[in-house]
Amino acid sequence: AASPPPPRIADFQEVLGEPTVALSKLRDLCFSGIPFDGGLRCLCWKILLNYLPLEKALWSSLLKKQRDLYSQFLKEMIIQPGIAKANLGVSREDVTLEDHPLNPNPDSRWNTYFKDNEVLLQIDKDVRRLYPDMAFFQRPTDYPCLLILDPQNEFETLRKRVEQTTLKSQTVARNRSGVTNVSSPLKTTPSSLSEYEVLPNGCEAHWEVVERILFIYAKLNPGIAYVQGMNEIVGPLYYTFATDPNSEWKEHAEADTFFCFTNLMAEIRDNFIKSLDDSQCGITYKMEKVYSTLKEKDVELYLKLQEQNIKPQFFAFRWLTLLLSQEFLLPDVIRIWDSLFADDKRFDFLLLVCCAMLTLIRDQLLEGDFTLNMRLLQDYPISDVHLILKKAKELQDSK
């Protein structure tokens, strides 16, 4: 007989085996970290991010519906505009009457097309640098998008659009203040290595899949479109789903990532919207909250940072906006996200993790001058995320 699974895996299997998943039990289990085995993490994240309902009987019909919907998005937003562009030569006269590249009308399809290209170039620049310390994103996916890679295709794919659109880089350089510093010193690579190559036709690298997810998201959410840093949010989700040991799930990693990313962004998108920075849901409020929590837990450290005029936006902006995805290596980020997604107060725990990170280096911060302390905060020295999560849990329990 096969040996029984280890106790923690058995606990997960028991909760996930019920006809209706008990969410509070699942949250408790996930909070302490989800085992990779058997695709448990992929499944738990899909439930915690409200992609899968708690009633298991609904799963297969919902997944089919959402994956079909995603194919529809690809057809409408990548394939049809691509066909329109490719057919230009054929039906020249119809196009020119109604709509042509210089048409100033804001409803012009061309106008939209060029605007989309600006967004696409920014996405392309960012996804080509995703996790350069790992080979994963440069490798070909086992499940390239057949709709797009069909050799019969004459239409313009995103890959071709990027090649043909060498817009002036200035148009793309508008980004959030502070986000320019989005990549931590830890992650920089020599410039020659920092851009991923495009694979030969018929193959598709994982970073290209991420590019497509972000492009579709930007098209469907014009109010926010694409902001630098979103690539750092979608990366760990896609990596988790695309390495699922269960091939039936893995095959649909792109569509599933898209919907989980959309749900996650619905909760954190206010951090990315500049006009909300100072509102109660915006990022400034959350950064202040890190300091007010620190003041409660460790007033001496709080006063030291105040005295040195180290503002939370110098480091906490990136920590909070990117859910710590830039501060640690990818497997550690994924472990932190187990706890964050399991938090029923949705990211209140993130504030405590940030506080824990500060208190764990309090001795160094109390001794350091401004420059030294900024370096510590910009390139956080502790890599043991279990220690950080344990400390954050202690802070939570001491309320």
Side-chain angles (χ1 to χ4, degrees):
S3 57
R8 261 185 71 65
I9 294 179
D11 292 344
F12 274 92
Q13 286 171 342
E14 186 185 337
V15 171
L16 294 166
E18 295 292 326
T20 301
V21 176
L23 187 58
S24 59
K25 280 187 188 167
L26 185 69
R27 284 191 194 282
D28 285 348
L29 283 173
C30 295
F31 188 81
S32 314
I34 308 169
F36 174 74
D37 313 67
L40 284 175
R41 176 175 279 125
C42 309
L43 182 53
C44 292
W45 278 17
K46 287 177 178 117
I47 297 169
L48 295 174
L49 291 171
N50 303 318
Y51 178 44
L52 285 179
L54 299 176
E55 293 76 31
K56 277 174 71 174
L58 304 174
W59 287 1
S60 59
S61 61
L62 175 118
L63 288 169
K64 183 178 182 331
K65 192 179 109 217
Q66 297 299 84
R67 289 161 179 174
D68 290 348
L69 177 61
Y70 186 74
S71 296
Q72 199 50 45
F73 292 155
L74 292 179
K75 287 174 188 152
E76 284 171 24
M77 290 170 219
I78 295 179
I79 295 177
Q80 282 165 5
I83 292 171
K85 176 95 191 300
N87 288 345
L88 239 189
V90 190
S91 51
R92 190 71 222 202
E93 60 289 82
D94 329 340
V95 177
T96 324
L97 284 173
E98 299 288 318
D99 201 355
H100 56 83
L102 300 177
N103 185 344
N105 177 356
D107 298 334
S108 153
R109 260 197 338 225
W110 282 108
N111 200 0
T112 313
Y113 181 85
F114 291 128
K115 276 211 172 67
D116 288 351
N117 280 355
E118 287 186 31
V119 173
L120 177 59
L121 277 193
Q122 176 70 62
I123 293 173
D124 188 71
K125 211 168 81 183
D126 292 345
V127 293
R128 285 181 193 241
R129 301 180 187 148
L130 253 185
Y131 290 97
D133 48 350
M134 292 176 60
F136 172 79
F137 286 97
Q138 303 166 56
R139 289 202 185 115
T141 162
D142 298 338
Y143 302 102
C145 180
L146 300 176
L147 273 175
I148 286 175
L149 286 190
D150 179 352
Q152 303 305 308
N153 280 345
E154 288 300 308
F155 75 84
E156 192 187 38
T157 56
L158 290 186
R159 185 187 278 192
K160 287 181 193 157
R161 274 175 82 161
V162 170
E163 284 163 9
Q164 289 168 12
T165 314
T166 39
L167 273 177
K168 297 278 176 288
S169 50
Q170 299 88 283
T171 51
V172 184
R174 295 189 302 260
N175 60 17
R176 290 284 302 275
S177 57
V179 185
T180 14
N181 189 14
V182 122
S183 62
S184 62
L186 187 103
K187 304 246 168 117
T188 43
T189 47
S191 54
S192 58
L193 299 173
S194 65
E195 300 263 321
Y196 296 161
E197 298 301 312
V198 173
L199 295 175
N201 282 340
C203 298
E204 207 174 27
H206 288 294
W207 66 263
E208 288 187 271
V209 181
V210 174
E211 173 167 277
R212 206 163 37 234
I213 292 169
L214 287 166
F215 182 73
I216 300 279
Y217 178 82
K219 288 284 290 169
L220 287 171
N221 296 275
I224 182 171
Y226 171 76
V227 180
Q228 199 181 10
M230 287 182 185
N231 55 315
E232 305 291 351
I233 300 283
V234 83
L237 285 176
Y238 175 73
Y239 174 81
T240 300
F241 295 165
T243 54
D244 191 323
N246 175 344
S247 58
E248 279 169 58
W249 287 93
K250 187 173 166 176
E251 185 180 344
H252 298 285
E254 180 176 349
D256 293 348
T257 300
F258 171 80
F259 289 107
C260 287
F261 171 69
T262 301
N263 291 357
L264 178 56
M265 282 304 297
E267 298 188 33
I268 63 170
R269 59 180 282 171
D270 295 346
N271 296 344
F272 286 91
I273 300 176
K274 187 121 182 64
S275 59
L276 290 178
D277 277 1
D278 297 320
S279 71
Q280 259 204 320
C281 50
I283 187 72
T284 310
Y285 176 77
K286 290 178 186 137
M287 292 190 294
E288 297 300 337
K289 198 112 170 49
V290 171
Y291 267 23
S292 58
T293 311
L294 179 66
K295 189 177 176 181
E296 270 168 47
K297 307 286 183 191
D298 188 338
V299 73
E300 187 187 358
L301 180 55
Y302 166 78
L303 291 171
K304 172 76 176 187
L305 295 175
Q306 288 287 50
E307 175 200 320
Q308 291 190 345
N309 203 14
I310 293 181
K311 296 187 174 12
Q313 41 272 47
F314 298 159
F315 60 93
F317 181 88
R318 190 174 75 206
W319 291 6
L320 294 168
T321 309
L322 304 182
L323 307 180
L324 295 168
S325 61
Q326 280 274 294
E327 311 317 308
F328 303 99
L329 296 171
L330 187 59
D332 295 327
V333 171
I334 288 170
R335 168 61 193 92
I336 291 172
W337 285 16
D338 288 345
S339 297
L340 295 183
F341 295 166
D343 171 21
D344 60 346
K345 296 212 172 44
R346 278 323 202 205
F347 309 116
D348 272 12
F349 188 66
L350 177 58
L351 299 172
L352 293 169
V353 175
C354 294
C355 268
M357 287 168 68
L358 294 170
T359 54
L360 285 169
I361 55 170
R362 75 184 301 270
D363 296 350
Q364 289 153 280
L365 290 169
L366 291 172
E367 279 171 25
D369 59 9
F370 176 85
T371 316
L372 195 72
N373 286 346
M374 280 299 295
R375 196 174 305 141
L376 282 171
L377 295 168
Q378 291 274 342
D379 193 358
Y380 190 73
I382 296 178
S383 58
D384 180 354
V385 296
H386 297 278
L387 178 69
I388 294 166
L389 290 168
K390 187 167 163 259
K391 182 72 184 166
K393 184 79 180 96
E394 281 168 20
L395 293 175
Q396 188 181 47
D397 295 341
S398 70
K399 279 196 163 168

